[in-house]
Amino acid sequence: MEFKTYGDQKNPKFILIHGGFLGSWSLKTLIKHLETNYFLIVPELDGHGTNTQATFISIQDSANQIINYSKTSSFKTIEVIAGFSVGAQITSEILMQKPQITKYAVIESGCESLVPIPKIGVKALIKLKNGTFYQEFLDKICPLPNQFHQQFIKNYQSMSFDSLVNTCYSNFSHRADMLRSQ
């Protein structure tokens, strides 16, 4: 996982986690607005964005990497952790493992109920990724403004098969279960 930083290190720390099949590029506008008042830490998830040479393993693995980064960094407190989609699930996983890590959390559009799709079903769906049907499907589900749509398609197409499968499967099988952390 790569960690990109923006803003002045003297400002309150803010970890901002992008969604699945995206990259830090999808947060450009938000980063521009927040970097004046916060020191932003933006993880480029394994298998995503500019980090497609690495393989996305799971939501839990990504959460562990961010927790380890926060332990080894020079800052002591994190004011806010925010995540969108898979980033929201990673944020909830971080909070389950280490609830005291931050003062505030923003969880947007995270899927936190189990969707009973076996991993073999996810693999079969991903194998269709270069077909016309799948291109039409991506065009319909892409929740980004037009200026990001082509970047989304390019990013998705550059992801490895394993990263795509692991991202989808993690997304469908992750459940924020606060009792699990007890």
Side-chain angles (χ1 to χ4, degrees):
M1 184 176 296
E2 298 171 1
F3 291 88
K4 299 179 179 197
T5 58
Y6 305 87
D8 188 340
Q9 279 193 341
K10 294 176 187 164
N11 288 337
K13 310 314 179 257
F14 191 132
I15 297 177
L16 186 58
I17 309 168
H18 64 79
F21 317 121
L22 304 173
S24 57
W25 54 265
S26 66
L27 301 169
K28 221 187 301 187
T29 304
L30 191 54
I31 289 168
K32 191 175 180 181
H33 289 293
L34 293 171
E35 70 182 333
T36 312
N37 298 316
Y38 293 94
F39 178 66
L40 295 170
I41 300 109
V42 183
E44 191 81 65
L45 300 177
D46 288 344
H48 294 73
T50 58
N51 197 17
T52 56
Q53 70 285 359
T55 300
F56 182 89
I57 303 299
S58 68
I59 287 167
Q60 291 82 0
D61 177 68
S62 297
N64 289 335
Q65 288 185 62
I66 294 168
I67 290 168
N68 289 337
Y69 176 83
S70 73
K71 287 178 184 175
T72 60
S73 65
S74 60
F75 47 86
K76 300 290 181 238
T77 60
I78 300 168
E79 188 76 10
V80 181
I81 297 178
F84 167 73
S85 184
V86 168
Q89 292 170 290
I90 293 168
T91 300
S92 69
E93 184 68 28
I94 291 168
L95 294 172
M96 285 188 296
Q97 290 185 34
K98 196 169 180 187
Q100 71 284 9
I101 196 170
T102 188
K103 210 171 181 182
Y104 302 101
V106 179
I107 296 173
E108 172 60 37
S109 302
C111 176
E112 294 295 353
S113 61
L114 298 175
V115 179
I117 298 176
K119 200 165 196 174
I120 195 161
V122 173
K123 286 181 178 183
L125 183 64
I126 298 300
K127 284 189 180 194
L128 299 172
K129 84 174 195 171
N130 293 323
T132 312
F133 161 78
Y134 211 77
Q135 186 66 40
E136 290 172 9
F137 172 72
L138 287 177
D139 288 342
K140 286 185 171 88
I141 67 159
C142 182
L144 298 167
N146 287 340
Q147 72 264 29
F148 292 127
H149 185 75
Q150 286 306 316
Q151 183 66 40
F152 167 78
I153 299 296
K154 180 181 171 192
N155 191 96
Y156 184 88
Q157 295 294 343
S158 70
M159 290 176 71
S160 73
F161 178 77
D162 287 339
S163 287
L164 288 168
V165 168
N166 293 344
T167 302
C168 285
Y169 186 72
S170 286
N171 184 37
F172 295 144
S173 63
H174 184 262
R175 183 164 173 246
D177 186 356
M178 295 309 275
L179 296 175
R180 181 172 55 121
S181 65
Q182 301 298 324

